[in-house]
Amino acid sequence: DVCSSDLRIVRIRETVRKMLEHPGGHVTDYMDDMGYSDQAHFQREFKWYTGMTPGSLLKILGDRAER
């Protein structure tokens, strides 16, 4: 369904934006903020859109912040 796919993209893009602005959180913090109740589902959708897991992105952002 096109509409649900668009909504999924918007939710993940918003999550990535929040991670970039506030990279110190835990995966579940971002997941809860975006209305996901199932962590496996959130991680699957996140990876589908970004090509990496939410934890991987947070690690990259954390490593950058330490430099």
Side-chain angles (χ1 to χ4, degrees):
D1 182 62
V2 174
C3 192
S4 65
S5 179
D6 290 346
L7 179 59
R8 181 171 42 169
I9 291 168
V10 169
R11 287 171 71 184
I12 295 300
R13 289 176 87 177
E14 181 65 12
T15 303
V16 170
R17 185 187 65 74
K18 287 183 179 208
M19 288 177 166
L20 291 169
E21 290 178 358
H22 309 285
H26 187 271
V27 171
T28 55
D29 298 331
Y30 303 104
M31 181 185 96
D32 292 341
D33 284 350
M34 296 312 297
Y36 286 93
S37 58
D38 182 299
Q39 188 170 357
H41 178 71
F42 170 66
Q43 290 191 11
R44 229 180 358 262
E45 287 198 349
F46 192 94
K47 189 171 183 178
W48 165 82
Y49 183 73
T50 66
M52 65 179 69
T53 65
S56 296
L57 178 59
L58 289 173
K59 181 171 179 356
I60 290 168
L61 295 173
D63 290 348
R64 282 181 152 178
E66 292 174 5
R67 292 184 195 170

